[in-house]
Amino acid sequence: MRRDVRILLVGDEGVGKSTIVTSLIKESFVAHVQHVVPEVTIPPEVTPENVTTYIVDSGAGPQDRQHLESEVRKAHVICVVYSIDNPHSFDRIPTYWLPLFRQLGVNVPVILVGNKIDLRGGEVTNEALEEEIIPIMNEFKEVETCVECSAKLPLNVSEVIYFAQKAVLHPTAPLYDSREHVLKPACVSALKRIFKLCDANKDGVLDAAELNEFQRKCFDVPLQLQELEGIKDMVREHAEGGVRDNGLTEDGFLYLHTIFIQRGRLETTWTVLRKFGYAEDLRLTEAFLLPKFDVPHDCSVELSPQGYQFFTDIFEIFDKDQDGALNNAELEELFSTSPGNPWASQNFPDTTLVDGKGAVTLQGWLAQWSMTTLLNHKTTLSYLAYLGYPGEQRTSALLTTRPRKVDRRKGKVTRNVFLCYVCGAAGSGKTSLLRSFAGKPFRETYEPTSKMVSVVNAVDIDGSEKYLVLQEFGSKYEAETLRASKKTDFADVIVYVHDSSDTNSFSYISNLRQQYNLDHIPTLFVATKSDLDLAQQRHEVQPDVYCRRLGLQVPVAVSVKTEQVADVFHAICSIAINPHAAIPGGADRAMTASERLRVYVTFTALLGGASAGLVMLYRSLLRPGGAILPSWTTPWATWLLGIRRDP
């Protein structure tokens, strides 16, 4: 919310603008004041709204025009003063002053101030005042209200400033249509969302406990029983269907806020909206959706126990038929307080576990959020806000893991959610492997993967549940991903898939490994379509020999079609937890690309002028034909010099 308010007083000569300012400051009438009094600053502690307030006077003469236009453009709210005893000063409001502001391109709240009520003869009713003001308010929507005062008595002078502050801090225009006397659509939408979030048991009414929690959250005070009954009685009397089962319905909730606004208590509705994250444009603020949450380099983000509990609770609340799964209608209702399903463009629910009817199970629901948090924790953070995560600290639903390099150095991984890249030639069976992992049936027809696909499931490792995310890139994105060290450093495991019945399938993997720097990633080779005849691969060595030379286990043979997957997903998860044994060429190569670069730079810096020695070492490692010497060559030396020694 704004922490300062700049109030500008304008109006014809002699209406009492300067006198209003001096009466406010002196708390008494000052008969003779200067033409334009200096700007006044009121500190926040002496104002009801607790904001610094600047009050600016202005003149209406030709010599004041430049100063006037400058101040109009800087003002947060403009008070147009007219004199009760000078009808012409009132008539010029719609014919001169309000058109002037529009001409200057200024769109700020306007307060009409009728000064010198001490000079009015006889009484005036509210109805008579409304007859004068309503036509102006109907034509100029920027006019918030009208206040009458007397700088001489003084009377209602402080109210002028109070209403001006309110017009800035709690504006009417975003909430209420003064012509139609109804809440605006954006306000209705925001209040309906707040109602749904406060309706904890989702029965369509706010009972006493829910209303008390709402009151505590917004105003930090409980709602007394007598107050609660008074509210319900008023709603019963004026809003049909506003109370049901002794609770407040959505219609009743909207009626209350309409009454607050109509009675000038906009601060009540604005307090509610701001507590739930809304800005003046009635959109949720970025600070509300994405609170500060730093993720150190090489760390990943997971749900905390509180996060898992929240998503479990919300699943159970919206599982209306209590069948242990969320169908499309239940999901739609669950996401009704958000922009919609965050995975709508990701082939959800094919990305996770569903029941026989295609509804998402609790395990699939938690797995999907685990994957979302790992791949894009900001989506999870914002949806915690959309879905009403309790408490002010939504970041408590997330936690950051230990850096991967620390895990790999210690030889034991402490994380619970792992990312595995699945690479291989087109048609090698990558998609079928991913579908099998997500519990989807085998498809006979081949459909090339054109975009990145991610699936997730839980894997039991020694009685502990871990979540494994498998990603396939498709031909369009594979090169882009594998050449980016920031992306490859994020992977816990890379699985190379080849079609054991296709003679050309394995050479694609070999070429891929030579083309990109991937040897720091724990690796598993998988041979698919084991139900078909084994083909001799057109490669200098066969896959089993290739793997042994890298110090890795031989390819795991699987057949998704016959549901013989050899527990390959358990094997992937085990590698992610204990990565050292699965590093191609040995655990000493488990550094990320960026780490190896830093080591290289440090090493060459230490050598200083010994570059000639490096050249001699390099030459000594090569045969005359340029081939690399046999296996006795020092591994660290060949690695450091960038000499690749593939099987």
Side-chain angles (χ1 to χ4, degrees), residues 29-61:
F29 177 65
V30 180
H32 302 287
V33 297
Q34 63 192 84
H35 174 61
V36 176
V37 299
E39 180 179 313
V40 174
T41 301
I42 302 177
E45 57 269 18
V46 298
T47 65
E49 297 294 339
N50 195 35
V51 292
T52 301
T53 303
Y54 306 97
I55 303 175
V56 183
D57 190 14
S58 66

PDB file of all heavy atoms in Angstrom, residues 29-61:
ATOM      1  N   PHE A  29      -9.540  29.669  12.979  1.00  0.00           N
ATOM      2  CA  PHE A  29      -9.679  30.489  11.777  1.00  0.00           C
ATOM      3  C   PHE A  29      -8.617  31.588  11.747  1.00  0.00           C
ATOM      4  O   PHE A  29      -8.379  32.270  12.742  1.00  0.00           O
ATOM      5  CB  PHE A  29     -11.074  31.101  11.728  1.00  0.00           C
ATOM      6  CG  PHE A  29     -11.298  32.026  10.571  1.00  0.00           C
ATOM      7  CD1 PHE A  29     -11.266  31.545   9.267  1.00  0.00           C
ATOM      8  CD2 PHE A  29     -11.536  33.379  10.777  1.00  0.00           C
ATOM      9  CE1 PHE A  29     -11.480  32.393   8.191  1.00  0.00           C
ATOM     10  CE2 PHE A  29     -11.753  34.241   9.699  1.00  0.00           C
ATOM     11  CZ  PHE A  29     -11.722  33.745   8.408  1.00  0.00           C
ATOM     12  N   VAL A  30      -7.985  31.758  10.603  1.00  0.00           N
ATOM     13  CA  VAL A  30      -7.025  32.838  10.382  1.00  0.00           C
ATOM     14  C   VAL A  30      -7.623  33.750   9.324  1.00  0.00           C
ATOM     15  O   VAL A  30      -7.837  33.338   8.180  1.00  0.00           O
ATOM     16  CB  VAL A  30      -5.653  32.298   9.933  1.00  0.00           C
ATOM     17  CG1 VAL A  30      -4.678  33.453   9.700  1.00  0.00           C
ATOM     18  CG2 VAL A  30      -5.091  31.322  10.960  1.00  0.00           C
ATOM     19  N   ALA A  31      -7.909  34.985   9.712  1.00  0.00           N
ATOM     20  CA  ALA A  31      -8.667  35.885   8.828  1.00  0.00           C
ATOM     21  C   ALA A  31      -7.902  36.260   7.564  1.00  0.00           C
ATOM     22  O   ALA A  31      -8.461  36.284   6.460  1.00  0.00           O
ATOM     23  CB  ALA A  31      -9.069  37.143   9.604  1.00  0.00           C
ATOM     24  N   HIS A  32      -6.630  36.555   7.720  1.00  0.00           N
ATOM     25  CA  HIS A  32      -5.855  37.031   6.565  1.00  0.00           C
ATOM     26  C   HIS A  32      -4.706  36.064   6.295  1.00  0.00           C
ATOM     27  O   HIS A  32      -3.830  35.875   7.149  1.00  0.00           O
ATOM     28  CB  HIS A  32      -5.324  38.436   6.834  1.00  0.00           C
ATOM     29  CG  HIS A  32      -6.416  39.433   7.122  1.00  0.00           C
ATOM     30  ND1 HIS A  32      -7.259  39.905   6.135  1.00  0.00           N
ATOM     31  CD2 HIS A  32      -6.798  40.014   8.286  1.00  0.00           C
ATOM     32  CE1 HIS A  32      -8.123  40.741   6.676  1.00  0.00           C
ATOM     33  NE2 HIS A  32      -7.870  40.839   7.989  1.00  0.00           N
ATOM     34  N   VAL A  33      -4.725  35.442   5.135  1.00  0.00           N
ATOM     35  CA  VAL A  33      -3.674  34.496   4.743  1.00  0.00           C
ATOM     36  C   VAL A  33      -3.098  34.928   3.410  1.00  0.00           C
ATOM     37  O   VAL A  33      -3.732  35.684   2.655  1.00  0.00           O
ATOM     38  CB  VAL A  33      -4.206  33.049   4.649  1.00  0.00           C
ATOM     39  CG1 VAL A  33      -4.695  32.558   5.994  1.00  0.00           C
ATOM     40  CG2 VAL A  33      -5.316  32.950   3.605  1.00  0.00           C
ATOM     41  N   GLN A  34      -1.910  34.423   3.125  1.00  0.00           N
ATOM     42  CA  GLN A  34      -1.286  34.780   1.861  1.00  0.00           C
ATOM     43  C   GLN A  34      -1.995  34.117   0.683  1.00  0.00           C
ATOM     44  O   GLN A  34      -2.797  33.185   0.861  1.00  0.00           O
ATOM     45  CB  GLN A  34       0.195  34.392   1.887  1.00  0.00           C
ATOM     46  CG  GLN A  34       0.467  32.907   2.018  1.00  0.00           C
ATOM     47  CD  GLN A  34       1.923  32.615   2.327  1.00  0.00           C
ATOM     48  OE1 GLN A  34       2.343  32.657   3.478  1.00  0.00           O
ATOM     49  NE2 GLN A  34       2.705  32.331   1.283  1.00  0.00           N
ATOM     50  N   HIS A  35      -1.682  34.577  -0.510  1.00  0.00           N
ATOM     51  CA  HIS A  35      -2.372  34.122  -1.727  1.00  0.00           C
ATOM     52  C   HIS A  35      -2.293  32.599  -1.892  1.00  0.00           C
ATOM     53  O   HIS A  35      -3.309  31.929  -2.128  1.00  0.00           O
ATOM     54  CB  HIS A  35      -1.749  34.822  -2.939  1.00  0.00           C
ATOM     55  CG  HIS A  35      -2.258  34.335  -4.254  1.00  0.00           C
ATOM     56  ND1 HIS A  35      -3.589  34.429  -4.619  1.00  0.00           N
ATOM     57  CD2 HIS A  35      -1.621  33.739  -5.304  1.00  0.00           C
ATOM     58  CE1 HIS A  35      -3.751  33.915  -5.821  1.00  0.00           C
ATOM     59  NE2 HIS A  35      -2.574  33.497  -6.263  1.00  0.00           N
ATOM     60  N   VAL A  36      -1.098  32.033  -1.781  1.00  0.00           N
ATOM     61  CA  VAL A  36      -0.899  30.576  -1.840  1.00  0.00           C
ATOM     62  C   VAL A  36       0.008  30.204  -0.673  1.00  0.00           C
ATOM     63  O   VAL A  36       1.153  30.660  -0.618  1.00  0.00           O
ATOM     64  CB  VAL A  36      -0.250  30.140  -3.175  1.00  0.00           C
ATOM     65  CG1 VAL A  36       0.024  28.644  -3.155  1.00  0.00           C
ATOM     66  CG2 VAL A  36      -1.145  30.502  -4.355  1.00  0.00           C
ATOM     67  N   VAL A  37      -0.502  29.389   0.249  1.00  0.00           N
ATOM     68  CA  VAL A  37       0.309  29.034   1.413  1.00  0.00           C
ATOM     69  C   VAL A  37       1.318  27.952   1.011  1.00  0.00           C
ATOM     70  O   VAL A  37       1.077  27.171   0.078  1.00  0.00           O
ATOM     71  CB  VAL A  37      -0.561  28.539   2.584  1.00  0.00           C
ATOM     72  CG1 VAL A  37      -1.529  29.616   3.028  1.00  0.00           C
ATOM     73  CG2 VAL A  37      -1.301  27.269   2.210  1.00  0.00           C
ATOM     74  N   PRO A  38       2.460  27.881   1.701  1.00  0.00           N
ATOM     75  CA  PRO A  38       3.473  26.875   1.364  1.00  0.00           C
ATOM     76  C   PRO A  38       2.958  25.448   1.596  1.00  0.00           C
ATOM     77  O   PRO A  38       2.008  25.227   2.352  1.00  0.00           O
ATOM     78  CB  PRO A  38       4.629  27.204   2.321  1.00  0.00           C
ATOM     79  CG  PRO A  38       4.392  28.608   2.761  1.00  0.00           C
ATOM     80  CD  PRO A  38       2.905  28.801   2.756  1.00  0.00           C
ATOM     81  N   GLU A  39       3.600  24.512   0.932  1.00  0.00           N
ATOM     82  CA  GLU A  39       3.257  23.090   1.091  1.00  0.00           C
ATOM     83  C   GLU A  39       3.383  22.665   2.553  1.00  0.00           C
ATOM     84  O   GLU A  39       4.329  23.040   3.247  1.00  0.00           O
ATOM     85  CB  GLU A  39       4.174  22.241   0.209  1.00  0.00           C
ATOM     86  CG  GLU A  39       3.914  20.748   0.297  1.00  0.00           C
ATOM     87  CD  GLU A  39       4.834  19.955  -0.629  1.00  0.00           C
ATOM     88  OE1 GLU A  39       4.965  20.356  -1.811  1.00  0.00           O
ATOM     89  OE2 GLU A  39       5.437  18.968  -0.161  1.00  0.00           O
ATOM     90  N   VAL A  40       2.435  21.870   3.018  1.00  0.00           N
ATOM     91  CA  VAL A  40       2.403  21.405   4.404  1.00  0.00           C
ATOM     92  C   VAL A  40       2.638  19.893   4.416  1.00  0.00           C
ATOM     93  O   VAL A  40       2.036  19.158   3.620  1.00  0.00           O
ATOM     94  CB  VAL A  40       1.047  21.728   5.062  1.00  0.00           C
ATOM     95  CG1 VAL A  40       0.967  21.113   6.461  1.00  0.00           C
ATOM     96  CG2 VAL A  40       0.840  23.230   5.128  1.00  0.00           C
ATOM     97  N   THR A  41       3.501  19.450   5.311  1.00  0.00           N
ATOM     98  CA  THR A  41       3.757  18.014   5.484  1.00  0.00           C
ATOM     99  C   THR A  41       3.212  17.572   6.832  1.00  0.00           C
ATOM    100  O   THR A  41       3.583  18.130   7.873  1.00  0.00           O
ATOM    101  CB  THR A  41       5.254  17.694   5.409  1.00  0.00           C
ATOM    102  OG1 THR A  41       5.756  18.123   4.141  1.00  0.00           O
ATOM    103  CG2 THR A  41       5.497  16.200   5.574  1.00  0.00           C
ATOM    104  N   ILE A  42       2.344  16.573   6.806  1.00  0.00           N
ATOM    105  CA  ILE A  42       1.780  16.023   8.046  1.00  0.00           C
ATOM    106  C   ILE A  42       2.396  14.645   8.269  1.00  0.00           C
ATOM    107  O   ILE A  42       2.263  13.756   7.423  1.00  0.00           O
ATOM    108  CB  ILE A  42       0.250  15.903   7.958  1.00  0.00           C
ATOM    109  CG1 ILE A  42      -0.364  17.274   7.666  1.00  0.00           C
ATOM    110  CG2 ILE A  42      -0.319  15.325   9.244  1.00  0.00           C
ATOM    111  CD1 ILE A  42      -1.870  17.243   7.491  1.00  0.00           C
ATOM    112  N   PRO A  43       3.088  14.431   9.394  1.00  0.00           N
ATOM    113  CA  PRO A  43       3.737  13.137   9.641  1.00  0.00           C
ATOM    114  C   PRO A  43       2.705  12.031   9.832  1.00  0.00           C
ATOM    115  O   PRO A  43       1.555  12.294  10.221  1.00  0.00           O
ATOM    116  CB  PRO A  43       4.550  13.379  10.912  1.00  0.00           C
ATOM    117  CG  PRO A  43       3.906  14.552  11.574  1.00  0.00           C
ATOM    118  CD  PRO A  43       3.331  15.395  10.486  1.00  0.00           C
ATOM    119  N   PRO A  44       3.092  10.785   9.560  1.00  0.00           N
ATOM    120  CA  PRO A  44       2.122   9.678   9.589  1.00  0.00           C
ATOM    121  C   PRO A  44       1.492   9.440  10.951  1.00  0.00           C
ATOM    122  O   PRO A  44       0.331   9.039  11.036  1.00  0.00           O
ATOM    123  CB  PRO A  44       2.959   8.466   9.140  1.00  0.00           C
ATOM    124  CG  PRO A  44       4.376   8.862   9.348  1.00  0.00           C
ATOM    125  CD  PRO A  44       4.430  10.330   9.151  1.00  0.00           C
ATOM    126  N   GLU A  45       2.227   9.694  12.030  1.00  0.00           N
ATOM    127  CA  GLU A  45       1.700   9.348  13.357  1.00  0.00           C
ATOM    128  C   GLU A  45       0.518  10.205  13.786  1.00  0.00           C
ATOM    129  O   GLU A  45      -0.182   9.859  14.746  1.00  0.00           O
ATOM    130  CB  GLU A  45       2.811   9.422  14.414  1.00  0.00           C
ATOM    131  CG  GLU A  45       3.517  10.772  14.500  1.00  0.00           C
ATOM    132  CD  GLU A  45       4.733  10.841  13.605  1.00  0.00           C
ATOM    133  OE1 GLU A  45       4.854  10.005  12.681  1.00  0.00           O
ATOM    134  OE2 GLU A  45       5.575  11.726  13.848  1.00  0.00           O
ATOM    135  N   VAL A  46       0.253  11.315  13.088  1.00  0.00           N
ATOM    136  CA  VAL A  46      -0.876  12.166  13.477  1.00  0.00           C
ATOM    137  C   VAL A  46      -2.040  12.057  12.500  1.00  0.00           C
ATOM    138  O   VAL A  46      -2.984  12.841  12.567  1.00  0.00           O
ATOM    139  CB  VAL A  46      -0.440  13.648  13.613  1.00  0.00           C
ATOM    140  CG1 VAL A  46       0.594  13.807  14.684  1.00  0.00           C
ATOM    141  CG2 VAL A  46       0.055  14.199  12.277  1.00  0.00           C
ATOM    142  N   THR A  47      -1.978  11.097  11.580  1.00  0.00           N
ATOM    143  CA  THR A  47      -3.080  10.903  10.635  1.00  0.00           C
ATOM    144  C   THR A  47      -3.736   9.553  10.890  1.00  0.00           C
ATOM    145  O   THR A  47      -3.054   8.583  11.244  1.00  0.00           O
ATOM    146  CB  THR A  47      -2.593  10.952   9.171  1.00  0.00           C
ATOM    147  OG1 THR A  47      -1.713   9.856   8.934  1.00  0.00           O
ATOM    148  CG2 THR A  47      -1.881  12.261   8.892  1.00  0.00           C
ATOM    149  N   PRO A  48      -5.064   9.440  10.728  1.00  0.00           N
ATOM    150  CA  PRO A  48      -5.757   8.162  10.964  1.00  0.00           C
ATOM    151  C   PRO A  48      -5.232   7.030  10.092  1.00  0.00           C
ATOM    152  O   PRO A  48      -5.235   5.868  10.506  1.00  0.00           O
ATOM    153  CB  PRO A  48      -7.221   8.490  10.626  1.00  0.00           C
ATOM    154  CG  PRO A  48      -7.332   9.970  10.716  1.00  0.00           C
ATOM    155  CD  PRO A  48      -5.992  10.512  10.342  1.00  0.00           C
ATOM    156  N   GLU A  49      -4.774   7.355   8.880  1.00  0.00           N
ATOM    157  CA  GLU A  49      -4.329   6.320   7.952  1.00  0.00           C
ATOM    158  C   GLU A  49      -2.843   5.982   8.105  1.00  0.00           C
ATOM    159  O   GLU A  49      -2.322   5.121   7.386  1.00  0.00           O
ATOM    160  CB  GLU A  49      -4.615   6.742   6.510  1.00  0.00           C
ATOM    161  CG  GLU A  49      -6.094   6.918   6.204  1.00  0.00           C
ATOM    162  CD  GLU A  49      -6.869   5.617   6.275  1.00  0.00           C
ATOM    163  OE1 GLU A  49      -6.247   4.544   6.174  1.00  0.00           O
ATOM    164  OE2 GLU A  49      -8.099   5.667   6.435  1.00  0.00           O
ATOM    165  N   ASN A  50      -2.147   6.702   8.987  1.00  0.00           N
ATOM    166  CA  ASN A  50      -0.741   6.429   9.275  1.00  0.00           C
ATOM    167  C   ASN A  50       0.135   6.511   8.028  1.00  0.00           C
ATOM    168  O   ASN A  50       0.969   5.646   7.766  1.00  0.00           O
ATOM    169  CB  ASN A  50      -0.587   5.050   9.933  1.00  0.00           C
ATOM    170  CG  ASN A  50       0.786   4.880  10.571  1.00  0.00           C
ATOM    171  OD1 ASN A  50       1.354   5.835  11.105  1.00  0.00           O
ATOM    172  ND2 ASN A  50       1.324   3.679  10.508  1.00  0.00           N
ATOM    173  N   VAL A  51      -0.071   7.572   7.242  1.00  0.00           N
ATOM    174  CA  VAL A  51       0.758   7.816   6.059  1.00  0.00           C
ATOM    175  C   VAL A  51       1.221   9.271   6.069  1.00  0.00           C
ATOM    176  O   VAL A  51       0.527  10.152   6.590  1.00  0.00           O
ATOM    177  CB  VAL A  51      -0.001   7.537   4.738  1.00  0.00           C
ATOM    178  CG1 VAL A  51      -0.301   6.067   4.576  1.00  0.00           C
ATOM    179  CG2 VAL A  51      -1.274   8.371   4.654  1.00  0.00           C
ATOM    180  N   THR A  52       2.390   9.521   5.520  1.00  0.00           N
ATOM    181  CA  THR A  52       2.857  10.892   5.362  1.00  0.00           C
ATOM    182  C   THR A  52       1.966  11.595   4.344  1.00  0.00           C
ATOM    183  O   THR A  52       1.708  11.070   3.260  1.00  0.00           O
ATOM    184  CB  THR A  52       4.317  10.912   4.875  1.00  0.00           C
ATOM    185  OG1 THR A  52       5.125  10.218   5.822  1.00  0.00           O
ATOM    186  CG2 THR A  52       4.817  12.345   4.740  1.00  0.00           C
ATOM    187  N   THR A  53       1.475  12.773   4.724  1.00  0.00           N
ATOM    188  CA  THR A  53       0.526  13.488   3.867  1.00  0.00           C
ATOM    189  C   THR A  53       1.074  14.869   3.517  1.00  0.00           C
ATOM    190  O   THR A  53       1.510  15.610   4.401  1.00  0.00           O
ATOM    191  CB  THR A  53      -0.835  13.636   4.576  1.00  0.00           C
ATOM    192  OG1 THR A  53      -1.313  12.335   4.934  1.00  0.00           O
ATOM    193  CG2 THR A  53      -1.847  14.314   3.666  1.00  0.00           C
ATOM    194  N   TYR A  54       1.068  15.175   2.233  1.00  0.00           N
ATOM    195  CA  TYR A  54       1.493  16.488   1.751  1.00  0.00           C
ATOM    196  C   TYR A  54       0.256  17.239   1.261  1.00  0.00           C
ATOM    197  O   TYR A  54      -0.498  16.720   0.425  1.00  0.00           O
ATOM    198  CB  TYR A  54       2.498  16.351   0.611  1.00  0.00           C
ATOM    199  CG  TYR A  54       3.690  15.479   0.964  1.00  0.00           C
ATOM    200  CD1 TYR A  54       3.726  14.140   0.592  1.00  0.00           C
ATOM    201  CD2 TYR A  54       4.764  15.997   1.679  1.00  0.00           C
ATOM    202  CE1 TYR A  54       4.801  13.336   0.924  1.00  0.00           C
ATOM    203  CE2 TYR A  54       5.846  15.199   2.015  1.00  0.00           C
ATOM    204  CZ  TYR A  54       5.858  13.865   1.636  1.00  0.00           C
ATOM    205  OH  TYR A  54       6.933  13.079   1.986  1.00  0.00           O
ATOM    206  N   ILE A  55       0.045  18.457   1.793  1.00  0.00           N
ATOM    207  CA  ILE A  55      -1.104  19.276   1.390  1.00  0.00           C
ATOM    208  C   ILE A  55      -0.572  20.475   0.610  1.00  0.00           C
ATOM    209  O   ILE A  55       0.253  21.244   1.116  1.00  0.00           O
ATOM    210  CB  ILE A  55      -1.909  19.740   2.613  1.00  0.00           C
ATOM    211  CG1 ILE A  55      -2.374  18.517   3.424  1.00  0.00           C
ATOM    212  CG2 ILE A  55      -3.108  20.576   2.177  1.00  0.00           C
ATOM    213  CD1 ILE A  55      -3.068  18.871   4.713  1.00  0.00           C
ATOM    214  N   VAL A  56      -1.035  20.597  -0.617  1.00  0.00           N
ATOM    215  CA  VAL A  56      -0.509  21.612  -1.535  1.00  0.00           C
ATOM    216  C   VAL A  56      -1.623  22.572  -1.922  1.00  0.00           C
ATOM    217  O   VAL A  56      -2.691  22.148  -2.386  1.00  0.00           O
ATOM    218  CB  VAL A  56       0.083  20.954  -2.794  1.00  0.00           C
ATOM    219  CG1 VAL A  56       0.688  22.007  -3.713  1.00  0.00           C
ATOM    220  CG2 VAL A  56       1.137  19.917  -2.412  1.00  0.00           C
ATOM    221  N   ASP A  57      -1.366  23.848  -1.718  1.00  0.00           N
ATOM    222  CA  ASP A  57      -2.308  24.899  -2.103  1.00  0.00           C
ATOM    223  C   ASP A  57      -1.981  25.356  -3.535  1.00  0.00           C
ATOM    224  O   ASP A  57      -0.884  25.109  -4.047  1.00  0.00           O
ATOM    225  CB  ASP A  57      -2.173  26.071  -1.120  1.00  0.00           C
ATOM    226  CG  ASP A  57      -3.280  27.101  -1.284  1.00  0.00           C
ATOM    227  OD1 ASP A  57      -4.289  26.794  -1.961  1.00  0.00           O
ATOM    228  OD2 ASP A  57      -3.127  28.212  -0.743  1.00  0.00           O
ATOM    229  N   SER A  58      -2.940  26.016  -4.171  1.00  0.00           N
ATOM    230  CA  SER A  58      -2.699  26.524  -5.529  1.00  0.00           C
ATOM    231  C   SER A  58      -3.513  27.782  -5.758  1.00  0.00           C
ATOM    232  O   SER A  58      -4.504  28.040  -5.060  1.00  0.00           O
ATOM    233  CB  SER A  58      -3.069  25.466  -6.585  1.00  0.00           C
ATOM    234  OG  SER A  58      -4.463  25.226  -6.575  1.00  0.00           O
ATOM    235  N   GLY A  59      -3.097  28.562  -6.737  1.00  0.00           N
ATOM    236  CA  GLY A  59      -3.836  29.751  -7.145  1.00  0.00           C
ATOM    237  C   GLY A  59      -4.557  29.514  -8.452  1.00  0.00           C
ATOM    238  O   GLY A  59      -4.246  28.578  -9.186  1.00  0.00           O
ATOM    239  N   ALA A  60      -5.529  30.386  -8.746  1.00  0.00           N
ATOM    240  CA  ALA A  60      -6.334  30.206  -9.960  1.00  0.00           C
ATOM    241  C   ALA A  60      -6.116  31.320 -10.970  1.00  0.00           C
ATOM    242  O   ALA A  60      -6.785  31.349 -12.012  1.00  0.00           O
ATOM    243  CB  ALA A  60      -7.814  30.121  -9.590  1.00  0.00           C
ATOM    244  N   GLY A  61      -5.191  32.250 -10.672  1.00  0.00           N
ATOM    245  CA  GLY A  61      -4.949  33.352 -11.588  1.00  0.00           C
ATOM    246  C   GLY A  61      -4.067  32.946 -12.750  1.00  0.00           C
ATOM    247  O   GLY A  61      -3.426  31.885 -12.729  1.00  0.00           O
TER     248      GLY A  61
END
